[in-house]
Amino acid sequence: MNKNPMGQKRRVCVIGAGTAGLCALKNSLESGMDAVAYERGTEIGGTWIFSEDMPENDYDEVHSSMYDGLRTNLPKEVMGYPDYAYDNDIEDSFITSHEVLNFLRSYAEHFKLGPHIKLQHEVIRVRPRLDDWEVYVWDHTTNTCDPVYYDFVYVCNGHYTEPDVPEVEGADLYEGKLMHSHLYRRADKFRDENVLIIGAGPSGMDITNHVRREAKHVYLSHHLATAPNTAFMGNVTQKPDVERLTKNGAVFKDGSSESFDHVLFCTGYKYTFPCLSTDVGIQVIDNFVQPLWKHCININNPTMAFIGLLFNVIPTHIFDMQVRFTLAFFTGQREMPPREQMIAELEKEIGQRWDCGFYNRKKAHQMGERQFDYYNELARMAGIDNIKPVILKLMKDCGKKYIFELDTYRSNRYTIVDDENFLKNGKMAN
Ligand code: FAD
């Protein structure tokens, strides 16, 4: 299947050259496909590129949400690819965005991906034809746009670019400053201000910890069942959800009110696929991308796969696994199930999620505890290597630390001993 009936190699189009796109490209090439990754930016790395330059036109839209001083919320020991790990020369486990970017560059260099990556090439339209895909690529270096044809498409355009800002009553009355974490770059912008941060996910918690060092006072509004540990942050007060914004502050659900200068929404992002035409057959409803088989294969056009939609997972490892899973079908090593079976499996999974009450459409791609069954299923169905037990154990050790051990957990150092075991701060962990 990696050759067409005329004996030519199958052609793979990868949209984006971030963590997901790079491994889609590498694995496709290794499967004997003729693969190209189109990257609209001037360099590879996606999310991990830190830039303070703000856009002047549409093309230069801000892609990365990276900010100054970020250290990863997962240790580098689980952030490598299964066949390419971080160098042990970096002592810390929780590393800077620059170190992640360097790692991605070294991955691309190691697997000689450079000649297969087209920088400043933006995919602006993808549409299915009878037997293949028509992909329009805008070359920003020549300002030309041509159609190119592919057998398979990997959508790896990233999901931390389009802010999800909730509608809040009174927003039109509020006269202070507003920002979404997508455009947050430095804490000193909030110097001596009173700041309301909305949302206590990984970004909300981390940004609170940065901003509170410069701000006069931070109010952290969230609806987590268990309050995060903000005890070490003297100038942070936790608040429930915002009931409504006022001219210079907010009234909260518990009836209390506060005044502040700046609101910072850390309320997440939306999945968007602006380059996919409607006949691709994919809809995003309340952040639920559907219909997808196993959260990656487009059921309506199963020669297209989406890599990395899942959250609360081990990102790099699951990207690589989803790519290997889909390639097992794209190369014909495994037979793609019929459409009815894929739909039935999707409905079953979604039914289970709805039934347990915790999941709604917005959480349709959230994994958490479900991730381990998912990994087993992909490995079994496609006959591919599973994620090593040591990576899963290490991941479990890191769970929720950004909420309850925010001030201390990044000083932990991990060392992988073998496929099963790791050391934590020099001691064998279990
Ligand atoms: P991206 O890195 O966003 O790459 C997508 C690429 O596609 C970009 O280069 C973009 O320019 C390109 N592109 C988009 N549209 C087009 C188009 N039409 N044509 C051509 N190119 C296009 N993960 C961790 O594992 N550990 C962490 O500590 C961690 N911290 C994070 C902190 C922040 C602030 C954020 C936002 C995310 C963090 N993540 C972390 C998640 C991280 O984003 C993922 O792990 C991973 O980097 C996402 O890779 P990606 O390839 O899916 O997307």
Side-chain angles (χ1 to χ4, degrees):
M1 259 279 265
N2 43 5
K3 295 230 169 112
N4 70 16
M6 274 106 72
Q8 294 156 332
K9 283 183 175 183
R10 296 276 183 187
R11 299 149 305 167
V12 177
C13 168
V14 179
I15 306 173
T19 311
L22 291 173
C23 79
L25 177 63
K26 176 248 171 201
N27 285 295
S28 300
L29 291 167
E30 283 186 351
S31 300
M33 308 276 210
D34 187 4
V36 176
Y38 294 107
E39 168 52 57
R40 71 176 169 198
T42 53
E43 57 176 316
I44 64 169
T47 290
W48 299 100
I49 300 167
F50 170 72
S51 169
E52 289 183 273
D53 293 341
M54 290 300 156
E56 282 180 12
N57 59 49
D58 281 350
Y59 158 59
D60 284 330
E61 77 175 52
V62 180
H63 178 83
S64 173
S65 306
M66 194 47 59
Y67 48 85
D68 179 56
L70 177 136
R71 282 173 69 198
T72 57
N73 52 37
L74 290 175
K76 68 176 191 305
E77 287 72 20
V78 304
M79 284 183 59
Y81 295 96
D83 53 358
Y84 193 77
Y86 275 82
D87 212 319
N88 283 334
D89 286 357
I90 307 174
E91 283 186 9
D92 284 334
S93 282
F94 296 87
I95 57 179
T96 65
S97 59
H98 192 68
E99 286 167 322
V100 181
L101 189 58
N102 275 343
F103 167 77
L104 293 175
R105 288 174 181 152
S106 74
Y107 176 80
E109 202 177 307
H110 179 80
F111 290 105
K112 302 186 173 43
L113 302 182
H116 308 278
I117 301 172
K118 288 183 182 286
L119 297 174
Q120 291 182 273
H121 280 64
E122 182 173 7
V123 174
I124 57 165
R125 185 174 154 86
V126 180
R127 90 179 172 90
R129 301 196 310 170
L130 218 50
D131 293 321
D132 61 8
W133 293 94
E134 184 174 63
V135 178
Y136 275 86
V137 182
W138 181 8
D139 177 349
H140 288 280
T141 62
T142 58
N143 228 354
T144 52
C145 184
D146 293 306
V148 210
Y149 299 93
Y150 289 96
D151 299 296
F152 302 99
V153 175
Y154 277 109
V155 183
C156 305
N157 63 331
H159 312 295
Y160 298 100
T161 294
E162 180 73 27
D164 187 1
V165 180
E167 276 181 29
V168 185
E169 193 190 324
D172 51 335
L173 303 174
Y174 175 69
E175 291 179 357
K177 291 175 266 186
L178 292 169
M179 184 193 272
H180 184 274
S181 55
H182 178 48
L183 294 182
Y184 168 80
R185 290 295 175 272
R186 292 186 185 276
D188 55 11
K189 195 174 179 93
F190 299 85
R191 185 165 296 153
D192 297 330
E193 288 187 344
N194 289 314
V195 184
L196 169 67
I197 295 186
I198 301 182
S203 290
M205 288 304 296
D206 196 45
I207 289 175
T208 297
N209 198 14
H210 285 237
V211 168
R212 59 103 185 175
R213 293 163 210 252
E214 297 283 347
K216 203 186 294 171
H217 201 91
V218 175
Y219 300 97
L220 174 64
S221 162
H222 66 84
H223 46 246
L224 295 178
T226 312
N229 174 19
T230 51
F232 63 98
M233 307 184 202
N235 59 343
V236 176
T237 306
Q238 296 191 48
K239 287 280 176 188
D241 283 341
V242 172
E243 177 78 35
R244 62 189 159 84
L245 285 172
T246 59
K247 193 174 165 197
N248 57 0
V251 177
F252 297 89
K253 294 261 185 216
D254 61 359
S256 65
S257 56
E258 303 292 350
S259 304
F260 37 78
D261 310 285
H262 222 135
V263 181
L264 182 45
F265 286 97
C266 295
T267 42
Y269 295 87
K270 293 179 188 166
Y271 297 104
T272 51
F273 308 101
C275 65
L276 303 187
S277 73
T278 48
D279 43 356
V280 163
I282 288 293
Q283 282 188 302
V284 186
I285 301 172
D286 285 346
N287 243 14
F288 178 13
V289 186
Q290 51 182 309
L292 295 178
W293 184 53
K294 303 299 166 205
H295 298 270
C296 52
I297 288 182
N298 175 355
I299 296 178
N300 285 327
N301 279 292
T303 49
M304 170 180 276
F306 293 71
I307 303 303
L309 300 186
L310 294 170
F311 57 103
N312 283 166
V313 287
I314 316 171
T316 314
H317 279 269
I318 189 55
F319 297 171
D320 195 89
M321 198 172 189
Q322 286 185 324
V323 170
R324 288 181 289 117
F325 172 79
T326 52
L327 278 172
F329 297 94
F330 291 174
T331 58
Q333 286 165 30
R334 286 283 190 279
E335 198 178 332
M336 193 79 80
R339 178 188 157 78
E340 302 69 48
Q341 184 184 328
M342 293 197 252
I343 292 281
E345 288 180 20
L346 170 62
E347 283 178 350
K348 186 173 168 207
E349 192 207 329
I350 293 305
Q352 285 168 351
R353 282 173 176 261
W354 281 198
D355 286 350
C356 78
F358 174 69
Y359 294 97
N360 52 29
R361 280 194 188 135
K362 276 199 163 192
K363 294 177 179 171
H365 303 293
Q366 179 173 11
M367 277 293 168
E369 279 306 309
R370 300 181 78 99
Q371 66 184 306
F372 307 105
D373 288 344
Y374 178 76
Y375 302 148
N376 292 338
E377 194 179 22
L378 294 200
R380 181 180 51 74
M381 294 182 85
I384 54 174
D385 286 342
N386 203 338
I387 298 174
K388 287 180 180 155
V390 65
I391 303 290
L392 303 179
K393 287 180 191 168
L394 221 155
M395 177 70 183
K396 281 185 178 163
D397 192 75
C398 300
K400 302 271 185 231
K401 294 253 190 302
Y402 73 89
I403 297 183
F404 303 113
E405 295 173 37
L406 181 60
D407 56 334
T408 52
Y409 82 99
R410 286 191 174 95
S411 57
N412 288 330
R413 282 196 186 158
Y414 295 95
T415 313
I416 290 186
V417 178
D418 54 36
D419 285 358
E420 294 282 342
N421 301 296
F422 66 91
L423 304 176
K424 183 173 177 181
N425 301 324
K427 293 196 186 117
M428 193 62 98
N430 45 38

